[in-house]
């Protein structure tokens, strides 16, 4: 299965998504700098379907030392805000529907942060060094490979969780207020 087909269908088996990742050029730290809008690629992972109904937008890489790993849409999708991943219950039985988005809006004052909550490093993954986001408070690494000059394929490596959780990030340079 080609990366193009995976992006169009937003689905792949675990083996297909890893083969696609392996066939792409590793991302560099400099390449990752900027704001990225994302979408999930369903692989049968236990977290499939959680990010998008929650109001997730993507990630902001200010520098290798300052990364906002979870950006969410504000009211009417006219602004963005960052969430502290430490406060997000990954293993709770969360609804995969608009109810989750409503819960995120209600919980925003508790979850929002102005501080970066991750860093970027070059880390070996699947036999080669690639730009990797390391969360400050969770045993999670997001590894990135370049699809083209504006998109990356991300593979979340979560300790204790079998199989790849996959997503695509697209560089977004459109003006948008970020409330950090």
């Amino acid at each position: 299965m080609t990366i193009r087909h995976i992006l169009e269908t937003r689905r792949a088996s675990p083996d297909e998504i890893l083969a696609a990742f392996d066939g792409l050029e590793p991302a560099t730290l400099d390449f990752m700098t900027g704001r990225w809008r994302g979408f999930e690629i369903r692989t049968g992972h236990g977290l499939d379907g959680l990010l998008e109904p929650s109001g997730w937008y993507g990630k902001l890489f200010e520098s290798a030392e300052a990364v906002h790993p979870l950006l969410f849409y504000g009211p009417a999708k006219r602004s963005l805000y960052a969430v502290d991943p430490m406060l997000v219950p990954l293993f709770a039985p969360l609804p995969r529907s608009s109810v989750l988005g409503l819960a995120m809006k209600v919980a925003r004052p508790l979850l929002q942060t102005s501080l970066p909550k991750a860093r970027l490093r070059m880390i070996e993954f699947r036999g080669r060094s690639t730009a990797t986001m390391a969360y400050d408070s969770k045993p999670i690494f997001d590894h990135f490979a370049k699809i083209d000059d504006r998109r990356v394929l991300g593979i979340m490596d979560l300790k204790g969780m079998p199989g790849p959780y996959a997503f695509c990030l697209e560089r977004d340079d459109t003006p948008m207020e970020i409330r950090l």
Side-chain angles (χ1 to χ4, degrees):
M1 183 175 295
T2 66
I3 188 65
R4 182 178 179 170
H5 181 74
I6 290 170
L7 296 176
E8 286 172 1
T9 62
R10 297 186 179 193
R11 294 186 179 279
S13 73
D15 289 340
E16 290 166 341
I17 201 69
L18 291 174
F21 186 90
D22 292 345
L24 297 171
E25 176 185 344
T28 64
L29 301 182
D30 286 341
F31 181 77
M32 295 305 299
T33 301
R35 193 176 79 230
W36 299 79
R37 182 178 54 241
F39 62 84
E40 296 175 281
I41 299 170
R42 297 193 182 223
T43 62
H45 191 278
L47 297 177
D48 278 358
L50 278 178
L51 281 178
E52 291 177 39
S54 71
W56 179 65
Y57 165 85
K59 302 179 182 297
L60 174 62
F61 301 90
E62 293 177 330
S63 70
E65 293 300 316
V67 177
H68 298 275
L70 294 174
L71 287 183
F72 286 81
Y73 284 107
K77 294 187 173 184
R78 287 188 293 232
S79 63
L80 302 172
Y81 68 96
V83 163
D84 185 343
M86 184 176 77
L87 304 174
V88 177
L90 289 178
F91 298 105
L94 299 171
R96 285 157 169 77
S97 68
S98 60
V99 172
L100 183 56
L102 179 58
M104 287 297 294
K105 287 177 187 172
V106 170
R108 177 179 174 177
L110 301 172
L111 301 175
Q112 188 170 351
T113 183
S114 61
L115 301 173
K117 296 295 180 177
R119 299 180 295 162
L120 264 179
R121 296 289 185 267
M122 295 299 289
I123 294 179
E124 187 174 324
F125 179 66
R126 300 186 56 78
R128 59 197 180 141
S129 183
T130 192
T132 299
M133 186 186 75
Y135 286 73
D136 293 343
S137 63
K138 294 211 182 251
I140 300 173
F141 294 106
D142 287 348
H143 306 281
F144 302 105
K146 281 178 69 172
I147 296 168
D148 54 36
D149 288 339
R150 301 205 48 86
R151 298 179 295 178
V152 295
L153 176 60
I155 301 290
M156 177 201 264
D157 181 11
L158 172 58
K159 188 174 184 175
M161 199 55 123
Y165 175 77
F167 55 94
C168 176
L169 295 178
E170 299 173 325
R171 189 176 299 283
D172 187 2
D173 300 322
T174 59
M176 172 113 27
E177 180 183 2
I178 303 174
R179 297 185 178 164
L180 297 175

